[in-house]
Amino acid sequence: MTSSTLVRPAQRTPFARYRHSLWLLTKRDLSVRYTTNALGYVWSVLDPLLMSLIYFFVFVVVFKRGDHAGEDPYIVYLMAGLLPWTWFNGAITDAARVFAKESKLVRSVSLPQTLWVARIVLSKGIEYVASLAVLVIFAILFHAPVTWYVFWFPVGLILQAILVYGIGLIVAPLTVFYKDLERAIRLILRLFFYASAILYSPTQWPEEVHGIPVRAILQLNPLTGIMGLYRSAFWPKEFNVFHVIVSAVGSLVILGIGFLVFRRSVPAVLKEM
């Protein structure tokens, strides 16, 4: 026996078996998505690309407010926010219906139930990383300078994965019991989109509106610091230590709540299915 001998599945540690199963499910998702569609990879970037062009046209061409809507070049600023938002929105939307969509498979295989949420987060995350090639192309075309803050980019990836996973663990079981919650989540995500500094910089938040401390409330949004980590690669002033700390603490708290909700709900979910 050599050190290169393959370890049989039964001989793997629980973590290794979990990781192996997660990768197999993720590859299945990506394979189905890319081999059954003629355009394949294009679909993962088409939506954020079109939305970037639409917002650019509205803010810069129509209303001539490019200098006030974000940083120059604004098209790169938009894409730096819309690409990770696509990951966030898509993963949570899919997690909300994962048990309804995969009910037969969930009942027929003996796997940790958290895998069904984790593979959505991972597959959508891989799509996001693949879509960064488009951001790089636009950054080159529009001469957006890259700064050393680009090394904070992986931190943004990790925090977003934790945040999305935590939210996914919460919504996945709850939508089994409350069918209307899936539609409610879509509405909440639309509101959350405009509260996450995706189209503009957090520096443009008003201190208060009609006595409501808008800036203080919006600063508690974990996505704010994550978006700042991504965008600081091109605009260092987007990096805000307080926002990053809020994102890190908020993401970990949501992950903890997610595990608690999921663990207590799964037995009832399996009976409901």
Side-chain angles (χ1 to χ4, degrees):
M1 299 287 289
T2 65
S3 58
S4 61
T5 303
L6 293 177
V7 179
R8 295 180 179 179
Q11 297 173 322
R12 296 188 179 121
T13 63
F15 175 75
R17 289 197 295 270
Y18 187 96
R19 184 181 59 188
H20 179 70
S21 300
L22 174 60
W23 180 239
L24 289 178
L25 289 172
T26 302
K27 284 200 301 183
R28 187 201 68 162
D29 277 2
L30 294 173
S31 177
V32 169
R33 191 168 295 122
Y34 289 134
T35 59
T36 58
N37 295 294
L39 294 180
Y41 168 77
V42 175
W43 288 117
S44 63
V45 298
L46 189 59
D47 181 65
L49 178 58
L50 288 177
M51 292 305 296
S52 297
L53 295 175
I54 290 171
Y55 285 122
F56 179 82
F57 179 79
V58 171
F59 287 124
V60 178
V61 178
V62 177
F63 293 107
K64 311 293 184 182
R65 295 181 59 86
D67 295 337
H68 304 287
E71 301 292 342
D72 184 56
Y74 185 51
I75 185 66
V76 177
Y77 192 87
L78 280 172
M79 294 198 68
L82 287 170
L83 287 173
W85 171 259
T86 300
W87 173 18
F88 182 86
N89 182 75
I92 293 176
T93 301
D94 285 358
R97 57 172 182 259
V98 63
F99 284 124
K101 185 178 179 181
E102 304 280 6
S103 58
K104 292 182 179 179
L105 194 57
V106 170
R107 290 196 303 264
S108 62
V109 297
S110 178
L111 291 173
Q113 307 304 326
T114 55
L115 271 173
W116 303 105
V117 176
R119 56 96 174 174
I120 291 175
V121 177
L122 182 56
S123 62
K124 293 293 184 181
I126 291 174
E127 286 186 355
Y128 166 57
V129 172
S131 71
L132 291 176
V134 179
L135 177 62
V136 171
I137 292 173
F138 272 75
I140 294 173
L141 290 175
F142 290 89
H143 307 290
V146 178
T147 71
W148 71 269
Y149 280 86
V150 71
F151 293 107
W152 283 101
F153 203 94
V155 179
L157 285 173
I158 294 170
L159 289 181
Q160 182 165 348
I162 293 172
L163 176 62
V164 174
Y165 187 39
I167 297 175
L169 290 174
I170 295 172
V171 302
L174 294 183
T175 50
V176 175
F177 306 118
Y178 308 102
K179 306 300 182 182
D180 291 337
L181 185 58
E182 185 178 337
R183 293 185 178 181
I185 288 171
R186 293 177 184 174
L187 295 177
I188 293 171
L189 285 172
R190 290 179 186 175
L191 295 175
F192 201 60
F193 173 80
Y194 293 101
S196 299
I198 293 171
L199 304 179
Y200 50 84
S201 173
T203 59
Q204 296 177 272
W205 286 335
E207 288 292 339
E208 62 177 49
V209 177
H210 300 300
I212 300 174
V214 174
R215 182 182 291 269
I217 294 173
L218 293 179
Q219 283 182 334
L220 298 178
N221 182 349
L223 269 185
T224 298
I226 294 172
M227 292 296 170
L229 287 170
Y230 292 144
R231 283 171 165 157
S232 64
F234 303 106
W235 302 278
K237 68 178 183 179
E238 290 290 316
F239 183 88
N240 184 299
V241 176
F242 175 74
H243 291 168
V244 173
I245 293 174
V246 169
S247 295
V249 174
S251 298
L252 291 173
V253 169
I254 290 173
L255 179 63
I257 295 173
F259 273 119
L260 183 62
V261 171
F262 196 88
R263 184 178 300 175
R264 293 187 175 184
S265 302
V266 161
V269 167
L270 297 177
K271 292 180 180 179
E272 185 74 16
M273 293 170 59

